[in-house]
Amino acid sequence: MGAPDYIRTVEETLVDGCGDCEDLTYLLVGILSQPAFGYRTAMVILPGHMLAGVHRDDLPAAYADAPTLPGGTHVAIECTTPRPIGEFKHEPVLAVYGDNVKYIDQSAIADMGGDLLQDPTQFQTIADASAKRPH
Protein backbone atom coordinates (compact mmCIF):
# COMPACT_ATOMS: atom_id res chain seq x y z
CA MET A 1 0.00 0.00 0.00
CA GLY A 2 3.04 2.27 -0.12
CA ALA A 3 3.20 2.76 3.64
CA PRO A 4 5.92 1.28 5.85
CA ASP A 5 4.91 -1.70 7.95
CA TYR A 6 5.04 -1.05 11.65
CA ILE A 7 3.50 -2.59 14.73
CA ARG A 8 0.45 -0.58 15.73
CA THR A 9 -0.40 0.23 19.28
CA VAL A 10 -3.43 -1.57 20.69
CA GLU A 11 -5.30 1.75 20.60
CA GLU A 12 -4.57 2.20 16.88
CA THR A 13 -5.74 -1.32 16.12
CA LEU A 14 -8.98 -0.75 18.03
CA VAL A 15 -9.65 2.65 16.42
CA ASP A 16 -8.85 1.41 12.90
CA GLY A 17 -10.73 -1.85 13.43
CA CYS A 18 -8.03 -3.82 11.62
CA GLY A 19 -4.42 -4.84 11.69
CA ASP A 20 -1.98 -7.47 10.53
CA CYS A 21 -1.00 -10.58 12.45
CA GLU A 22 1.33 -8.72 14.84
CA ASP A 23 -1.24 -6.01 15.60
CA LEU A 24 -4.05 -8.48 16.24
CA THR A 25 -1.82 -10.80 18.28
CA TYR A 26 -0.78 -7.95 20.58
CA LEU A 27 -4.44 -6.98 20.97
CA LEU A 28 -5.64 -10.52 21.73
CA VAL A 29 -2.75 -11.27 24.10
CA GLY A 30 -3.44 -7.98 25.88
CA ILE A 31 -7.14 -8.77 26.30
CA LEU A 32 -6.70 -12.39 27.36
CA SER A 33 -3.99 -11.60 29.90
CA GLN A 34 -6.11 -9.05 31.79
CA PRO A 35 -8.14 -9.85 34.95
CA ALA A 36 -11.38 -10.56 33.12
CA PHE A 37 -9.67 -13.69 31.75
CA GLY A 38 -6.29 -13.74 33.51
CA TYR A 39 -4.83 -16.23 31.01
CA ARG A 40 -1.11 -16.86 30.76
CA THR A 41 -0.42 -15.81 27.20
CA ALA A 42 2.41 -15.89 24.71
CA MET A 43 3.32 -14.40 21.36
CA VAL A 44 4.21 -17.13 18.87
CA ILE A 45 6.61 -16.40 16.01
CA LEU A 46 6.51 -18.36 12.75
CA PRO A 47 8.31 -17.42 9.52
CA GLY A 48 6.55 -14.25 8.38
CA HIS A 49 3.66 -14.71 10.81
CA MET A 50 2.68 -14.24 14.44
CA LEU A 51 -0.15 -15.71 16.50
CA ALA A 52 -1.29 -15.85 20.10
CA GLY A 53 -0.70 -18.70 22.51
CA VAL A 54 -2.66 -19.43 25.66
CA HIS A 55 -1.43 -21.73 28.41
CA ARG A 56 -3.33 -24.98 27.98
CA ASP A 57 -4.34 -25.09 31.67
CA ASP A 58 -6.09 -21.70 31.34
CA LEU A 59 -8.36 -22.67 28.44
CA PRO A 60 -11.96 -23.80 29.00
CA ALA A 61 -12.43 -27.56 29.39
CA ALA A 62 -13.80 -27.83 25.82
CA TYR A 63 -10.23 -27.26 24.59
CA ALA A 64 -8.50 -29.70 26.94
CA ASP A 65 -7.44 -31.89 24.02
CA ALA A 66 -6.23 -29.04 21.78
CA PRO A 67 -2.69 -29.70 20.55
CA THR A 68 0.04 -27.64 22.14
CA LEU A 69 2.76 -25.71 20.40
CA PRO A 70 6.37 -26.89 20.65
CA GLY A 71 7.44 -26.47 24.24
CA GLY A 72 4.26 -28.19 25.40
CA THR A 73 2.54 -25.48 27.43
CA HIS A 74 0.72 -23.13 25.02
CA VAL A 75 -2.10 -23.69 22.53
CA ALA A 76 -2.16 -21.68 19.29
CA ILE A 77 -4.88 -19.14 18.60
CA GLU A 78 -4.81 -17.63 15.13
CA CYS A 79 -5.73 -13.96 15.01
CA THR A 80 -6.04 -13.42 11.26
CA THR A 81 -7.52 -16.68 9.98
CA PRO A 82 -10.56 -18.71 11.06
CA ARG A 83 -8.63 -21.79 12.19
CA PRO A 84 -9.86 -23.81 15.19
CA ILE A 85 -8.02 -23.25 18.46
CA GLY A 86 -4.83 -25.30 18.45
CA GLU A 87 -4.38 -25.35 14.67
CA PHE A 88 -1.91 -23.10 12.89
CA LYS A 89 0.00 -22.73 9.64
CA HIS A 90 2.30 -25.68 9.03
CA GLU A 91 5.47 -23.66 9.41
CA PRO A 92 8.23 -24.08 11.95
CA VAL A 93 7.51 -22.41 15.27
CA LEU A 94 10.56 -20.22 15.72
CA ALA A 95 9.83 -18.89 19.20
CA VAL A 96 7.19 -18.69 21.91
CA TYR A 97 7.47 -15.61 24.12
CA GLY A 98 5.47 -15.62 27.34
CA ASP A 99 6.59 -14.25 30.69
CA ASN A 100 10.01 -15.13 29.39
CA VAL A 101 11.20 -17.08 26.38
CA LYS A 102 9.56 -20.49 26.62
CA TYR A 103 10.77 -22.03 23.36
CA ILE A 104 13.17 -21.19 20.55
CA ASP A 105 13.82 -23.50 17.60
CA GLN A 106 17.37 -22.48 16.75
CA SER A 107 17.60 -25.00 13.91
CA ALA A 108 14.49 -23.54 12.20
CA ILE A 109 15.89 -20.03 12.61
CA ALA A 110 19.18 -21.19 11.09
CA ASP A 111 17.32 -22.89 8.21
CA MET A 112 15.58 -19.62 7.41
CA GLY A 113 18.95 -17.92 7.11
CA GLY A 114 18.58 -14.97 4.77
CA ASP A 115 14.83 -14.61 5.24
CA LEU A 116 15.22 -13.87 8.94
CA LEU A 117 18.25 -11.68 8.45
CA GLN A 118 16.27 -9.34 6.21
CA ASP A 119 14.76 -7.97 9.42
CA PRO A 120 16.85 -9.17 12.37
CA THR A 121 15.29 -6.55 14.66
CA GLN A 122 11.95 -8.37 14.58
CA PHE A 123 12.94 -10.70 17.40
CA GLN A 124 14.40 -7.91 19.54
CA THR A 125 11.26 -5.79 19.10
CA ILE A 126 9.08 -8.69 20.19
CA ALA A 127 11.36 -9.51 23.11
CA ASP A 128 11.26 -5.86 24.23
CA ALA A 129 7.45 -5.77 24.03
CA SER A 130 7.20 -9.00 26.01
CA ALA A 131 9.54 -7.67 28.71
CA LYS A 132 7.41 -4.52 29.13
CA ARG A 133 4.16 -6.44 29.63
CA PRO A 134 2.88 -6.26 33.22
CA HIS A 135 3.16 -9.55 35.08
Side-chain angles (χ1 to χ4, degrees), residues 55-85:
H55 196 285
R56 77 171 301 116
D57 295 340
D58 294 342
L59 288 171
Y63 300 104
D65 293 332
T68 58
L69 291 157
T73 58
H74 290 86
V75 174
I77 300 179
E78 280 282 1
C79 299
T80 57
T81 61
R83 290 194 171 103
I85 290 176

Short mmCIF file of all heavy atoms in Angstrom, two decimals, residues 55-85:
data_model
loop_
_atom_site.label_atom_id
_atom_site.label_comp_id
_atom_site.label_asym_id
_atom_site.label_seq_id
_atom_site.Cartn_x
_atom_site.Cartn_y
_atom_site.Cartn_z
N HIS A 55 -1.84 -20.56 27.63
CA HIS A 55 -1.43 -21.73 28.41
C HIS A 55 -2.59 -22.72 28.42
O HIS A 55 -3.73 -22.36 28.70
CB HIS A 55 -1.07 -21.31 29.83
CG HIS A 55 -0.30 -22.35 30.57
ND1 HIS A 55 -0.89 -23.49 31.07
CD2 HIS A 55 1.02 -22.43 30.87
CE1 HIS A 55 0.03 -24.23 31.67
NE2 HIS A 55 1.20 -23.61 31.56
N ARG A 56 -2.28 -23.96 28.12
CA ARG A 56 -3.33 -24.98 27.98
C ARG A 56 -4.17 -25.13 29.24
O ARG A 56 -5.36 -25.39 29.17
CB ARG A 56 -2.76 -26.31 27.50
CG ARG A 56 -2.05 -27.12 28.56
CD ARG A 56 -1.70 -28.54 28.10
NE ARG A 56 -2.88 -29.26 27.71
CZ ARG A 56 -3.14 -29.71 26.47
NH1 ARG A 56 -2.29 -29.53 25.50
NH2 ARG A 56 -4.25 -30.35 26.20
N ASP A 57 -3.60 -24.94 30.42
CA ASP A 57 -4.34 -25.09 31.67
C ASP A 57 -5.34 -23.95 31.90
O ASP A 57 -6.22 -24.07 32.75
CB ASP A 57 -3.39 -25.17 32.86
CG ASP A 57 -2.51 -26.42 32.84
OD1 ASP A 57 -2.88 -27.39 32.14
OD2 ASP A 57 -1.46 -26.41 33.50
N ASP A 58 -5.19 -22.85 31.16
CA ASP A 58 -6.09 -21.70 31.34
C ASP A 58 -7.30 -21.76 30.41
O ASP A 58 -8.26 -21.02 30.62
CB ASP A 58 -5.34 -20.39 31.09
CG ASP A 58 -4.27 -20.14 32.14
OD1 ASP A 58 -4.33 -20.76 33.22
OD2 ASP A 58 -3.37 -19.33 31.87
N LEU A 59 -7.26 -22.60 29.41
CA LEU A 59 -8.36 -22.67 28.44
C LEU A 59 -9.57 -23.39 29.04
O LEU A 59 -9.43 -24.24 29.92
CB LEU A 59 -7.91 -23.42 27.19
CG LEU A 59 -6.95 -22.66 26.29
CD1 LEU A 59 -6.40 -23.57 25.20
CD2 LEU A 59 -7.63 -21.46 25.66
N PRO A 60 -10.77 -23.08 28.55
CA PRO A 60 -11.96 -23.80 29.00
C PRO A 60 -11.83 -25.30 28.73
O PRO A 60 -11.10 -25.73 27.82
CB PRO A 60 -13.09 -23.20 28.15
CG PRO A 60 -12.57 -21.85 27.75
CD PRO A 60 -11.09 -22.01 27.61
N ALA A 61 -12.53 -26.10 29.48
CA ALA A 61 -12.43 -27.56 29.39
C ALA A 61 -12.70 -28.09 27.98
O ALA A 61 -12.14 -29.12 27.59
CB ALA A 61 -13.40 -28.20 30.38
N ALA A 62 -13.50 -27.39 27.19
CA ALA A 62 -13.80 -27.83 25.82
C ALA A 62 -12.54 -27.93 24.97
O ALA A 62 -12.53 -28.65 23.96
CB ALA A 62 -14.79 -26.87 25.17
N TYR A 63 -11.47 -27.25 25.36
CA TYR A 63 -10.23 -27.26 24.59
C TYR A 63 -9.12 -28.06 25.27
O TYR A 63 -7.96 -27.94 24.92
CB TYR A 63 -9.76 -25.82 24.34
CG TYR A 63 -10.78 -25.03 23.58
CD1 TYR A 63 -11.57 -24.09 24.24
CD2 TYR A 63 -11.00 -25.25 22.23
CE1 TYR A 63 -12.54 -23.38 23.55
CE2 TYR A 63 -11.97 -24.54 21.54
CZ TYR A 63 -12.73 -23.61 22.20
OH TYR A 63 -13.69 -22.91 21.52
N ALA A 64 -9.48 -28.92 26.20
CA ALA A 64 -8.50 -29.70 26.94
C ALA A 64 -7.64 -30.58 26.04
O ALA A 64 -6.49 -30.85 26.36
CB ALA A 64 -9.19 -30.55 28.00
N ASP A 65 -8.19 -31.02 24.92
CA ASP A 65 -7.44 -31.89 24.02
C ASP A 65 -6.79 -31.14 22.86
O ASP A 65 -6.24 -31.77 21.95
CB ASP A 65 -8.36 -32.97 23.45
CG ASP A 65 -8.82 -33.95 24.53
OD1 ASP A 65 -8.08 -34.14 25.52
OD2 ASP A 65 -9.93 -34.50 24.39
N ALA A 66 -6.85 -29.81 22.86
CA ALA A 66 -6.23 -29.04 21.78
C ALA A 66 -4.72 -29.29 21.78
O ALA A 66 -4.10 -29.35 22.84
CB ALA A 66 -6.52 -27.56 21.95
N PRO A 67 -4.14 -29.45 20.60
CA PRO A 67 -2.69 -29.70 20.55
C PRO A 67 -1.91 -28.47 21.03
O PRO A 67 -2.34 -27.34 20.83
CB PRO A 67 -2.43 -29.96 19.06
CG PRO A 67 -3.58 -29.35 18.34
CD PRO A 67 -4.75 -29.39 19.27
N THR A 68 -0.80 -28.74 21.66
CA THR A 68 0.04 -27.64 22.14
C THR A 68 1.11 -27.33 21.10
O THR A 68 1.46 -28.15 20.26
CB THR A 68 0.72 -27.97 23.47
OG1 THR A 68 1.51 -29.14 23.31
CG2 THR A 68 -0.30 -28.16 24.57
N LEU A 69 1.63 -26.14 21.22
CA LEU A 69 2.76 -25.71 20.40
C LEU A 69 4.02 -26.39 20.91
O LEU A 69 4.03 -26.93 22.03
CB LEU A 69 2.91 -24.19 20.52
CG LEU A 69 1.79 -23.38 19.89
CD1 LEU A 69 1.71 -22.01 20.52
CD2 LEU A 69 2.01 -23.29 18.39
N PRO A 70 5.10 -26.36 20.13
CA PRO A 70 6.37 -26.89 20.65
C PRO A 70 6.69 -26.21 21.98
O PRO A 70 6.46 -25.03 22.16
CB PRO A 70 7.38 -26.50 19.57
CG PRO A 70 6.56 -26.41 18.32
CD PRO A 70 5.22 -25.88 18.77
N GLY A 71 7.20 -26.96 22.89
CA GLY A 71 7.44 -26.47 24.24
C GLY A 71 6.41 -27.03 25.20
O GLY A 71 6.63 -27.09 26.39
N GLY A 72 5.24 -27.43 24.66
CA GLY A 72 4.26 -28.19 25.40
C GLY A 72 3.33 -27.46 26.35
O GLY A 72 2.52 -28.10 27.00
N THR A 73 3.40 -26.13 26.45
CA THR A 73 2.54 -25.48 27.43
C THR A 73 1.46 -24.58 26.82
O THR A 73 0.46 -24.33 27.47
CB THR A 73 3.36 -24.63 28.43
OG1 THR A 73 4.10 -23.66 27.70
CG2 THR A 73 4.29 -25.50 29.24
N HIS A 74 1.66 -24.08 25.61
CA HIS A 74 0.72 -23.13 25.02
C HIS A 74 -0.03 -23.74 23.84
O HIS A 74 0.50 -24.58 23.12
CB HIS A 74 1.45 -21.86 24.57
CG HIS A 74 1.92 -21.03 25.71
ND1 HIS A 74 3.13 -21.25 26.32
CD2 HIS A 74 1.35 -20.00 26.36
CE1 HIS A 74 3.29 -20.39 27.30
NE2 HIS A 74 2.21 -19.61 27.34
N VAL A 75 -1.25 -23.28 23.65
CA VAL A 75 -2.10 -23.69 22.53
C VAL A 75 -2.22 -22.49 21.59
O VAL A 75 -2.41 -21.36 22.03
CB VAL A 75 -3.50 -24.12 23.04
CG1 VAL A 75 -4.44 -24.40 21.90
CG2 VAL A 75 -3.37 -25.34 23.96
N ALA A 76 -2.12 -22.74 20.29
CA ALA A 76 -2.16 -21.68 19.29
C ALA A 76 -3.56 -21.12 19.10
O ALA A 76 -4.54 -21.88 19.08
CB ALA A 76 -1.66 -22.22 17.95
N ILE A 77 -3.63 -19.81 18.97
CA ILE A 77 -4.88 -19.14 18.60
C ILE A 77 -4.55 -18.17 17.48
O ILE A 77 -3.85 -17.17 17.69
CB ILE A 77 -5.52 -18.40 19.78
CG1 ILE A 77 -5.83 -19.38 20.91
CG2 ILE A 77 -6.78 -17.67 19.32
CD1 ILE A 77 -6.43 -18.75 22.14
N GLU A 78 -5.02 -18.49 16.28
CA GLU A 78 -4.81 -17.63 15.13
C GLU A 78 -5.62 -16.35 15.28
O GLU A 78 -6.77 -16.39 15.72
CB GLU A 78 -5.23 -18.34 13.84
CG GLU A 78 -4.21 -19.31 13.31
CD GLU A 78 -3.05 -18.63 12.59
OE1 GLU A 78 -3.01 -17.39 12.51
OE2 GLU A 78 -2.18 -19.36 12.11
N CYS A 79 -5.04 -15.24 14.90
CA CYS A 79 -5.73 -13.96 15.01
C CYS A 79 -6.22 -13.43 13.67
O CYS A 79 -7.08 -12.56 13.63
CB CYS A 79 -4.79 -12.93 15.64
SG CYS A 79 -4.28 -13.39 17.30
N THR A 80 -5.68 -13.96 12.57
CA THR A 80 -6.04 -13.42 11.26
C THR A 80 -6.74 -14.42 10.36
O THR A 80 -7.19 -14.05 9.28
CB THR A 80 -4.79 -12.91 10.52
OG1 THR A 80 -3.85 -13.99 10.41
CG2 THR A 80 -4.16 -11.74 11.25
N THR A 81 -6.84 -15.66 10.78
CA THR A 81 -7.52 -16.68 9.98
C THR A 81 -8.50 -17.44 10.86
O THR A 81 -8.30 -17.56 12.07
CB THR A 81 -6.53 -17.68 9.35
OG1 THR A 81 -5.82 -18.35 10.40
CG2 THR A 81 -5.54 -16.99 8.44
N PRO A 82 -9.54 -18.01 10.26
CA PRO A 82 -10.56 -18.71 11.06
C PRO A 82 -10.20 -20.17 11.34
O PRO A 82 -10.99 -21.07 11.09
CB PRO A 82 -11.81 -18.59 10.19
CG PRO A 82 -11.29 -18.57 8.79
CD PRO A 82 -9.97 -17.84 8.88
N ARG A 83 -9.02 -20.43 11.85
CA ARG A 83 -8.63 -21.79 12.19
C ARG A 83 -9.12 -22.13 13.60
O ARG A 83 -9.16 -21.27 14.47
CB ARG A 83 -7.12 -21.93 12.13
CG ARG A 83 -6.57 -21.87 10.74
CD ARG A 83 -5.12 -22.36 10.71
NE ARG A 83 -4.69 -22.48 9.34
CZ ARG A 83 -3.90 -21.60 8.73
NH1 ARG A 83 -3.45 -20.55 9.39
NH2 ARG A 83 -3.57 -21.76 7.48
N PRO A 84 -9.46 -23.40 13.83
CA PRO A 84 -9.86 -23.81 15.19
C PRO A 84 -8.70 -23.61 16.18
O PRO A 84 -7.53 -23.66 15.79
CB PRO A 84 -10.18 -25.30 15.04
CG PRO A 84 -10.43 -25.50 13.58
CD PRO A 84 -9.57 -24.50 12.86
N ILE A 85 -9.04 -23.41 17.43
CA ILE A 85 -8.02 -23.25 18.46
C ILE A 85 -7.12 -24.48 18.47
O ILE A 85 -7.59 -25.61 18.45
CB ILE A 85 -8.69 -23.03 19.84
CG1 ILE A 85 -9.34 -21.64 19.84
CG2 ILE A 85 -7.70 -23.18 20.98
CD1 ILE A 85 -10.11 -21.31 21.08
#
